[in-house]
Amino acid sequence: MIEIQNLTKHYGEIKAIEDMTFTVEKGEILGFLGPNGAGKTTTMNIITGYIPSTSGTVKVSGYDIMDQPREVKKRIGYMPEHPPLYLDMTVKDYLDFSASLKEVDKKTWKSQKNDIMELVKITHVQHRLIRNLSKGYRQRVGLAQALVGAPEVLILDEPTVGLDPKQIIEIRKLIKALGKSHTIILSSHILPEVSAVCERVVIINKGKIVAVDTPEQLSKNLVDYSKFTITIAGPDKKVKELLQQVYGIIEIEVQNKIRENEFSYIVEADKEVDVRKPIFHKLAEHGYPILELKSLSMSLEEIFLQLTTEEKEVN
Amino acid sequence: MWAIWKREVQAYFYQPIAYVLISLSFLVLSIYYTFGTIAGRYAEMNTLLSNIIFILTFIIPILTMRILTEDRKSGTEVMLVTSPVEVYEIVIGKYLASLTVFLVIYVLTFTYPIIIAALGGKMEIPMLLGGYLAFLLIGMSFIAVGVFASSLTENQIVAAIIGFVILLVIHLVDPIANYVGGVLAKILGIFSLLSRYEDLNSGILDITSIIYYLSFTAVFLFLTTRVIDKRRWSQG
């Protein structure tokens, strides 16, 4: 659906984006993750045709943004980080304007208009001036504007920035729902957002892609072993000895003494081997009950930090 | 293009700016008209019309100052450029919106010759038509300058000042050309909107003058699209 190849953007000496290549499949929600200033907005501005690239190609449904910008622009709904709103218009007039700007024919628009306003829940404010709306409603009007004309592709730049937690949850739900009928690229510097909404993540830093994968796969690939915390009732020396006998366990470390004869340990094991059952059996044999067992897989946040601070390559 | 035109015309009238400009220019013109033309018992419009050019120098930059600056400042430029319209369509849509407000002032001044006729004044029709044609053409050219000025900055006041300065230079081209003389005077003559205006206003219908004004307008609108495109290439 969207093919981006060797995309590069230079501003004189500054390299905003370098050699970026990725594709987005039809119906996919792709997360675009990176710290502020990584080049997220620049990339989105290029895909939507707002600014031209220095080199490389962007194709949407097979149309090149440089050669056939009109065809591409027709297929994309773009919500920039700051929603492009005319404050002096009412919500309804603004959406009507957007529809005629996108050359949506009058009949189609008539049937679409109410659905869009229902979907983003702005029907009750449609006659109010945008100037008088709160940040949350403005964001929704911006989203509604991107939906006008039912484009196949939605590009959303930091759609939840500046919203309160309740609104963030609502917008995320909405994006997930939209993902059923649209191809979506969503940028964010907030990690839980991306892992909650997106099926695949592109992590970028300093204009370069550092990783592309599903959120789950990313955390799997990055750690070479699995880590657990485990709390066991029993003397630490004896328990440690027993655990060392379990196949697959690489290292055991006492983390905490919780009370007399009750310790928590950090256990590192080969990630190809599931050591949890053998651990249970081994300890049960000797009468040391497991009180707690928790996997310490890396959260996306840790991965993100690791990738963007060390620039460690994945894949 | 028409969507942009429609929105901009509405925007002019959502805000007080159109009303203020229209009523203010009509007021000033009516003062000229009442104390000049009517009190002086002149059965002609051309003296008044050449005064209008002077007034337009102040009115037009104010009329056009927000037409492109606002989109840059509020970020709505992104919406326009990423819509399936070309940059030149955006510029023409905006231009036509400013022209529409100008045409309201233009049409309002039709009341003056009508009053003269009603009072029994005998006007020379070719002079009258020539004068009004010149008025329209010069308005079109000035608005193109104003639109161009507003593409250069995101500050309305700065845009108004740039527009005003360009128009002022246009006013000064003739005196400067007279002063320097020679080849330079001929070159400066190319930029002389006003000498051609005087021709038209005195009833000399010269097709080259009409083409000149239309080209002048086209050149400034073209420059405007270039400025917008150039900025797209260089911004982040």
Side-chain angles (χ1 to χ4, degrees), chain A residues 52-214:
Chain A
S53 61
T54 309
S55 65
T57 55
V58 173
K59 280 184 181 173
V60 176
S61 292
Y63 296 104
D64 191 303
I65 184 73
M66 294 301 266
D67 300 336
Q68 286 162 296
R70 228 185 169 111
E71 291 301 321
V72 174
K73 287 171 182 177
K74 257 193 234 168
R75 288 168 171 77
I76 292 182
Y78 183 28
M79 179 184 168
E81 188 176 345
H82 305 287
L85 304 173
Y86 284 106
L87 302 182
D88 56 3
M89 295 176 105
T90 64
V91 172
K92 189 178 144 297
D93 285 348
Y94 172 72
L95 293 178
D96 285 341
F97 165 64
S98 175
S100 56
L101 192 65
K102 293 181 182 180
E103 292 165 346
V104 183
D105 75 61
K106 284 209 171 81
K107 249 189 187 162
T108 319
W109 175 234
K110 220 176 170 183
S111 65
Q112 231 176 53
K113 182 155 70 176
N114 289 326
D115 292 346
I116 291 176
M117 287 198 289
E118 261 329 299
L119 191 65
V120 299
K121 301 202 181 83
I122 52 171
T123 312
H124 60 292
V125 295
Q126 60 174 306
H127 297 297
R128 286 175 60 181
L129 284 180
I130 296 176
R131 181 187 304 285
N132 299 331
L133 296 181
S134 67
K135 173 87 184 148
Y137 274 109
R138 288 186 189 188
Q139 203 81 4
R140 286 187 216 186
V141 176
L143 188 57
Q145 169 271 134
L147 293 171
V148 167
E152 301 156 61
V153 176
L154 288 179
I155 295 191
L156 313 172
D157 195 359
E158 306 257 5
T160 58
V161 126
L163 300 182
D164 66 42
K166 190 169 162 268
Q167 293 168 330
I168 289 178
I169 292 167
E170 278 179 23
I171 293 273
R172 278 185 200 161
K173 259 192 205 158
L174 186 58
I175 292 169
K176 267 204 130 156
L178 289 169
K180 286 174 189 137
S181 50
H182 297 78
T183 305
I184 300 178
I185 299 182
L186 166 129
S187 84
S188 181
H189 64 278
I190 309 160
L191 304 143
E193 178 158 291
V194 169
S195 54
V197 177
C198 301
E199 292 145 16
R200 221 152 53 92
V201 184
V202 172
I203 299 181
I204 64 168
N205 189 37
K206 295 179 187 156
K208 287 183 190 156
I209 295 183
V210 281
V212 187
D213 222 323
T214 60

Side-chain angles (χ1 to χ4, degrees), chain B residues 26-52 55 112 115-116 119:
Chain B
F26 194 59
L27 175 73
V28 173
L29 286 174
S30 299
I31 291 170
Y32 266 101
Y33 176 69
T34 315
F35 295 101
T37 315
I38 297 293
R41 297 178 161 275
Y42 297 117
E44 54 95 19
M45 284 294 297
N46 300 73
T47 319
L48 176 68
L49 287 173
S50 60
N51 284 326
I52 287 179
I55 296 164
Y112 302 148
I115 292 172
I116 294 176
L119 290 174

Side-chain angles (χ1 to χ4, degrees), chain A residues 9 11 45 48-53 70 73-74 78 80 84-86 88-89 93-94 97-98 100-101 145, chain B residues 3-4 7 10-11 14-15 71 75-86 89 94 232-236:
Chain A
K9 176 77 185 175
Y11 299 113
N45 278 341
T48 54
Y50 181 50
I51 57 173
S53 61
R70 228 185 169 111
K73 287 171 182 177
K74 257 193 234 168
Y78 183 28
L85 304 173
Y86 284 106
D88 56 3
M89 295 176 105
D93 285 348
Y94 172 72
F97 165 64
S98 175
S100 56
L101 192 65
Q145 169 271 134
Chain B
I4 293 168
R7 195 220 94 78
Q10 282 173 345
Y14 282 146
Q15 293 162 347
D71 284 296
T76 42
E77 190 186 67
V78 184
M79 177 190 183
L80 299 179
V81 175
T82 59
S83 297
V85 290
E86 306 290 335
E89 292 176 271
K94 299 265 185 187
R232 283 174 61 213
W233 280 94
S234 57
Q235 80 181 347

